[in-house]
Amino acid sequence: MKNFNTQRMWQVLKYDLLINRKQNLATLAKMALILLIMFYFMFINHAWYYPDGRVGEIEEGNAVMVLFTIGIFTVFYGSWILRHMDTKQHRTAYLMLPASPAEKMVARLLITVVLWPLACMVAIVTADMLRWFIHIILGVGLSGSVTFPTLKFISYASWQGRVFMVLLTLWAQSLYIVGGALFTRRQWLLTGTVLIILAMMGGGIITRTLDYMFDEALNKGITINGDIVFWAFTCSFTLFTLLNYWISYRIFRRTQVINNKWLNL
């Protein structure tokens, strides 16, 4: 990290996007297709209509489903942080790039954490426009959309709620980033399985501990300030997310051309 060079990092980022453009576009097209199918059925089941048969907007409650779907895409994509190194040839080419491991990892994190959510937004707009054309071709007519009700729903939420959901999504994605750096095959499946096992082992203990702390505070007459709780969770999620990024970087540094069958060790 001492010799981190921003210019080399940007060169690695541009190289990564250029070499993997077909794979990225194929993933974006698949996501847009899934959203198109979901949006189409949303309008069939949850849209309101004008007397002349034109289609109005979907119910705002469906925005929750849209955001939840995007959150799933964002989280699971973290397990693909090193999928461009899926073969021996790809690993050799990437590891031989004239850049430090930190510069390569930051480039991959920018693609996964920043560019991928932007790609999700592009997929939403693309799927919405395609659904619009389908309605026009079928002669149904249209005045509403999926994009605007979703944006409207986000605008109704408090800024604390928006910040909390973003941090929660990034934290969940960071767990899959660690799994994506650790496992070489079936990353999202193996990572999800490990997380489920860990949640079954420790989730109950954490829940009971938090309940005990809140009960003790109430019994002692201590007033729980909502702002303090919000900032405590915000700081916790931020620190754990950064910790997961650091762990994934340490794992990436151990990546070899010839890896273990299942692990990058």
Side-chain angles (χ1 to χ4, degrees), residues 190-210:
L190 291 175
T191 303
T193 302
V194 171
L195 291 178
I196 290 174
I197 294 174
L198 292 177
M200 293 174 62
M201 294 174 59
I205 298 176
I206 295 174
T207 301
R208 285 194 293 270
T209 301
L210 291 175

Side-chain angles (χ1 to χ4, degrees), residues 7 11 24 38 63 67 78 84 91 112 114 120 122 124 147 160-161 172 184 195 210 222 224 229 238 248-249 256:
Q7 185 175 2
Q11 292 297 326
N24 294 332
M38 187 176 74
L67 295 175
H84 63 303
R91 285 194 294 273
T112 305
V114 179
C120 291
V122 172
I124 289 179
T147 306
Q160 292 97 332
T184 59
L195 291 178
L210 291 175
I222 300 175
I224 301 176
V229 174
T238 301
S248 62
Y249 164 68
Q256 304 295 322

